[in-house]
Amino acid sequence: ESDTQRLAQRATMVDALDPERLIQCPYDKYHRIRACWFPYHLIKCRKAPHSVTIEVLFVACLQMLCTYFCNVNTSSQVPGRSPSLPGAQWPGPSISKISGPSAMGSYSVTGTCVYNEVVSLLAHMDDQDKGKIALRIAFIAETKLAIVLTVLLEKLQKDEQNRIDIYYVLEKLLQQDTQGLERRLLKKIITLASNHMTETQEARNEVKVAASNTLVTLARCYFSDVMLELVYHLELPEEFIFMTLGNLSSAYALKCIPFVGMILKVMISMLALVKDSRMRQAFCGVLEKCSRAVNVYFMNWEKCPFPRMGESQFCKNILPLYCHVTSNWLSCEELELKQAVIKALGPMMGILLHKKEPQNPIFKEISWLLDQYKEEMHVFHVTK
């Protein structure tokens, strides 16, 4: 009896999955489509001016499709059994596994539709429609975040020509609430962006800027993860790592305070490696913005959830950097570097003057700073 039941069940399943079986289209009562082409017909027919909602689509076809994929998954776990039924080959692209809240069983039919829609939107992106397409993809990501991010990350790896546009879309998406982001996707975003900022190939600066902006936006919800990645790359001088680190310190001043000591210690250890003028400008940018963040902390420390940190903890790390910059870089001939140094000195002095010991070497530089105004260089920054 059990053998008879199994045979009957298998016959029913094969009949339900017969690729030649006709299925009624939920959008148009005159459409009867072969099962093997039914998913593709739905994508096309959905764009027609019908009043049927997407919920009606699922009522009509989700049961059949999910039955197919669930049985495929079950049969693939049985040794010696083929994952697809004889005579029931499903044409077209394969359905990838989707993890997360959008999954149904091991596979998600909805995920495939979303995946294809995002791919299509990216393929038609140009400067005229870039903003609208980015908003549309961000809207889709409100409920299908993992799937949309998967598409964008795949495109970032493969599509070198359109990386700036893809980063633009990714940044718009990350401006939403992304607290539920899977760790594997978070790690992949951070790794890809940091690699694009540090790659030694002749990568366009626009791509590096786009990757940097994406990390700064991502840090709104995942500050520690982004900061630790940047500190890890900080040991080898890279202009855009410095730039991103400075932007993080400006955008999230109080959040960066627990990391300031570690950042400054790494920067002290790499002073001898920073030889290029552009690198020194970026280096000074980090000093300026980290020092400004510390000064903000001195005025707002009661708003921070972590234990209070004293002035001496910051002064001991700032002082060696201040001495090196003033002794070696301040007398340079390059105007842009000199401006970057002087812009950093102001907030650094603001920290050091909290302690009596470093006041004398600071006062020695005041007269030199004031001399710069004799040349009417109004763009220079100096403390009172």
Side-chain angles (χ1 to χ4, degrees), residues 98-103 141-150 173-187 189 218 220-222 225:
I98 304 295
S99 58
S102 64
E142 290 180 3
T143 54
K144 306 296 178 185
L145 179 61
I147 304 171
V148 175
L149 283 177
T150 299
L173 188 154
L174 294 174
Q175 290 173 359
Q176 305 174 163
D177 180 16
T178 56
Q179 290 287 353
L181 184 60
E182 297 177 24
R183 295 297 302 179
R184 64 179 182 85
L185 292 174
L186 172 63
K187 181 62 179 175
I189 295 171
L218 181 64
R220 185 175 63 89
C221 296
Y222 302 96
D225 297 276

Side-chain angles (χ1 to χ4, degrees), residues 84-319:
S84 58
L85 295 172
Q89 301 288 334
W90 199 274
S94 59
I95 307 298
S96 302
K97 285 190 176 182
I98 304 295
S99 58
S102 64
M104 178 177 295
S106 297
Y107 294 89
S108 173
V109 178
T110 312
T112 306
C113 296
V114 172
Y115 185 98
N116 291 335
E117 183 175 359
V118 175
V119 169
S120 177
L121 287 169
L122 291 174
H124 294 87
M125 177 177 284
D126 53 36
D127 292 337
Q128 184 177 0
D129 297 326
K130 184 166 65 173
K132 294 180 180 179
I133 290 177
L135 290 175
R136 171 59 184 165
I137 294 176
F139 175 76
I140 297 172
E142 290 180 3
T143 54
K144 306 296 178 185
L145 179 61
I147 304 171
V148 175
L149 283 177
T150 299
V151 180
L152 295 177
L153 292 173
E154 287 181 3
K155 291 294 183 181
L156 280 176
Q157 289 178 291
K158 299 176 182 178
D159 192 352
E160 297 183 7
Q161 294 183 346
N162 297 308
R163 275 180 181 163
I164 297 174
D165 290 341
I166 298 169
Y167 269 121
Y168 174 81
V169 174
L170 182 58
E171 186 180 355
K172 290 292 183 184
L173 188 154
L174 294 174
Q175 290 173 359
Q176 305 174 163
D177 180 16
T178 56
Q179 290 287 353
L181 184 60
E182 297 177 24
R183 295 297 302 179
R184 64 179 182 85
L185 292 174
L186 172 63
K187 181 62 179 175
K188 196 165 185 179
I189 295 171
I190 295 174
T191 302
L192 272 177
S194 60
N195 287 344
H196 288 158
M197 288 192 301
T198 57
E199 59 187 3
T200 56
Q201 300 174 357
E202 295 297 326
R204 290 179 295 171
N205 283 347
E206 291 86 351
V207 175
K208 295 186 177 185
V209 171
S212 173
N213 293 339
T214 298
L215 285 182
V216 173
T217 304
L218 181 64
R220 185 175 63 89
C221 296
Y222 302 96
F223 183 85
S224 298
D225 297 276
V226 175
M227 181 63 81
L228 289 173
E229 177 74 11
L230 294 174
V231 173
Y232 171 78
H233 286 284
L234 191 59
E235 296 180 357
L236 294 176
E238 169 57 46
E239 178 185 356
F240 284 89
I241 293 294
F242 286 142
M243 185 183 74
T244 309
L245 202 55
N247 290 339
L248 281 178
S249 301
S250 294
Y252 314 101
L254 297 181
K255 285 185 179 182
C256 78
I257 295 301
F259 299 90
V260 166
M262 177 170 54
I263 293 170
L264 296 177
K265 287 178 181 178
V266 175
M267 294 178 74
I268 291 171
S269 67
M270 62 185 297
L271 280 170
L273 301 175
V274 184
K275 300 178 180 179
D276 178 71
S277 176
R278 288 179 60 87
M279 205 70 68
R280 288 179 176 180
Q281 292 177 45
F283 190 95
C284 289
V286 177
L287 289 179
E288 176 199 351
K289 292 172 182 178
C290 280
S291 299
R292 291 190 186 280
V294 173
N295 285 308
V296 170
Y297 171 73
F298 286 158
M299 295 183 290
N300 301 277
W301 62 267
E302 68 280 356
K303 298 180 181 180
C304 298
F306 44 83
R308 184 176 182 181
M309 302 173 68
E311 290 87 348
S312 58
Q313 292 178 268
F314 299 104
C315 288
K316 67 180 182 181
N317 292 320
I318 285 287
L319 186 57

